[in-house]
Structure formats: structure tokens, C-alpha cells
């Protein structure tokens, strides 16, 4: 069974940085995509970034482009989200997600890690 576990959330002042980690386990074949989503109180879940294992392609939401960087280590089954120049509007629960190995549908989700940015 695939499991995703996030870590690295916390509280930071505006302009600061945080690095989120996502440890994946239980895969029998490499997922086609992995990504980060976030959900702020009272708002819908929002896609943040996607990485395609084995590819150099990275996709980012406009709201985080130039500030956030998604990366991974296939050997360690770990994905990261480096978040710089954080803004109060980045405050949310951040979720790690992964696709299956046969499609590009986000099927597996972590429990989330809270990021709070104060002004």
C-alpha cells in the first residue's frame, strides 16, 4: 500500500523560507507524477507544483512560480518543496500527492503539514 508522509511545516515570518519533505513508500512501480497541493481555511484545495519522476519537467502554479522549487530523489523515494520569500497568503495545510504508475491522476495523498506565515 502506498504511503506518503509529509514533514517540515511550521511557522515563519513573511519573507522567510521552509522546506517540506514527502517520504513515499509502498510503490511497486515508479509513479508518473508527484506533487504538492495546499488548502487554506475556508478555501478549496489548490494545486501548487508537480514533478515527473525521471523527467526534468516541473510545473508550478503562477502564485508560487519563482519562489517555490519542487525536487525529488528517486533513490530515496523522497520529494521536497523548497519555499522561499513566503507570504501570509501561503498559509495553508500542504499535502503531498502522487499518481499511479499507469496514469496521471493523483491517487495517493499524505496527511498534510501545516505552514503558517505571519506578517
Amino acid at each position: 500500500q502506498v504511503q506518503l508522509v509529509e514533514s517540515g511545516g511550521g511557522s515563519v515570518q513573511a519573507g522567510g523560507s521552509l522546506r517540506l519533505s514527502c517520504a513515499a513508500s509502498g510503490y511497486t512501480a515508479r509513479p508518473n507524477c508527484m506533487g504538492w497541493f495546499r488548502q487554506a481555511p475556508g478555501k478549496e484545495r489548490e494545486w501548487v507544483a508537480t514533478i515527473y519522476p525521471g523527467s526534468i519537467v516541473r510545473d508550478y502554479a503562477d502564485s508560487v512560480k519563482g519562489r517555490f522549487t519542487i525536487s525529488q530523489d528517486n533513490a530515496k523515494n523522497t520529494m521536497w518543496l523548497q519555499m522561499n520569500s513566503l507570504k501570509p497568503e501561503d498559509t495553508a495545510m500542504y499535502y503531498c500527492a502522487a499518481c499511479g504508475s499507469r496514469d496521471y491522476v493523483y491517487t495517493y495523498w499524505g496527511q498534510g503539514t501545516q505552514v503558517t506565515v505571519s506578517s
Side-chain angles (χ1 to χ4, degrees):
Q1 183 176 356
V2 174
Q3 289 190 327
L4 303 174
V5 179
E6 304 96 334
S7 61
S11 297
V12 64
Q13 289 191 328
S17 298
L18 283 174
R19 190 191 195 201
L20 306 183
S21 299
C22 174
S25 62
Y27 268 105
T28 56
R30 188 173 64 188
N32 282 339
C33 58
M34 296 187 71
W36 291 94
F37 290 74
R38 66 186 182 186
Q39 187 167 20
K43 294 187 177 181
E44 293 188 352
R45 185 172 59 195
E46 173 189 24
W47 167 73
V48 175
T50 295
I51 191 167
Y52 302 91
S55 167
I56 62 172
V57 177
R58 313 280 189 269
D59 291 324
Y60 297 94
D62 288 342
S63 58
V64 306
K65 199 171 295 184
R67 300 188 298 121
F68 290 11
T69 302
I70 189 171
S71 60
Q72 66 173 145
D73 183 330
N74 288 326
K76 296 181 179 179
N77 293 324
T78 303
M79 177 178 67
W80 297 277
L81 185 68
Q82 178 67 43
M83 305 185 295
N84 299 328
S85 302
L86 283 162
K87 305 175 181 180
E89 51 263 44
D90 294 319
T91 295
M93 184 71 77
Y94 282 71
Y95 297 92
C96 167
C99 304
S101 58
R102 299 183 178 183
D103 53 42
Y104 290 86
V105 177
Y106 282 105
T107 304
Y108 307 102
W109 296 85
Q111 294 300 306
T113 185
Q114 178 67 39
V115 171
T116 302
V117 184
S118 58
S119 57

